[in-house]
Amino acid sequence: MKKDFFRIISPFSVFIAAVLDIGSIWISVFVIKDLASGNADTMSIIFAVMVVFAVILAVLFTKEIFSNGIIFYEDRCEFNAIDNDNVIYYKDIESIEEYKDTKASLRKGFTERSSLIIFNLKSDTVHTINIGFTTKRTLKKAIEKIDDYTKKNE
């Protein structure tokens, strides 16, 4: 079974991960200097253990951000960043729509800015997938890729 992966990366998440990674590395340098100086006490060791956990969390967070996307199989696509209702079969898709709010507004909340892929299914149901804070270009590419696989399976 052939698999194809399309990575969906949010610029906001990448920025947050970069800040977290840089902060973890920066504080690790101070901890290593303190421990290498030879005058480390109990608090320094406790702080070093906390920094190790922070570095592990930063690495896991960054790994998770770069592993999110759409996995395309021959008969279905799977959105791996979503826990449930994340599989769409190509044979069930009637049409696909997209939604990305691009209008400037100070009244809208942060969560109202995410990109949506809206599947109109043949069973007269609508299935909406929220792919997060992506660019319009990424959203268009995801829609095009889903369209390509849907056309192959007709």
Side-chain angles (χ1 to χ4, degrees):
M1 186 180 294
K2 182 183 165 203
K3 287 196 305 188
D4 190 14
F5 184 71
F6 180 76
R7 192 174 317 276
I8 297 175
I9 299 175
S10 166
F12 294 118
S13 299
V14 170
F15 174 74
I16 291 169
V19 168
L20 181 62
D21 292 343
I22 290 169
S24 298
I25 292 169
W26 182 68
I27 199 75
S28 298
V29 170
F30 289 112
V31 168
I32 291 170
K33 282 183 182 178
D34 188 43
L35 292 177
S37 69
N39 58 356
D41 57 349
T42 307
M43 290 306 288
S44 297
I45 294 171
I46 291 171
F47 188 67
V49 170
M50 289 174 22
V51 167
V52 167
F53 283 121
V55 169
I56 290 170
L57 285 175
V59 167
L60 291 175
F61 181 69
T62 304
K63 179 183 171 281
E64 180 66 25
I65 284 174
F66 288 106
S67 67
N68 289 340
I70 307 171
I71 303 170
F72 292 97
Y73 297 97
E74 292 176 9
D75 61 339
R76 68 190 185 281
C77 62
E78 177 181 344
F79 295 83
N80 68 349
I82 303 170
D83 291 335
N84 56 2
D85 293 333
N86 62 343
V87 177
I88 304 290
Y89 288 90
Y90 303 128
K91 64 181 168 95
D92 296 337
I93 298 174
E94 187 174 313
S95 65
I96 304 170
E97 300 172 23
E98 63 186 57
Y99 176 76
K100 171 85 173 138
D101 188 7
T102 56
K103 296 182 179 114
S105 173
L106 296 175
R107 298 179 133 195
K108 292 182 182 172
F110 195 66
T111 57
E112 296 176 72
R113 300 291 184 181
S114 58
S115 301
L116 303 174
I117 299 176
I118 304 163
F119 294 97
N120 296 312
L121 303 178
K122 291 178 181 173
S123 61
D124 290 330
T125 58
V126 176
H127 192 84
T128 304
I129 302 286
N130 185 341
I131 60 171
F133 302 106
T134 61
T135 60
K136 187 78 168 171
R137 191 180 81 202
T138 302
L139 180 61
K140 292 261 187 216
K141 283 184 182 178
I143 295 290
E144 288 172 7
K145 201 142 173 98
I146 294 169
D147 275 340
D148 290 344
Y149 274 91
T150 302
K151 288 176 184 170
K152 285 180 189 176
N153 285 289
E154 285 182 344

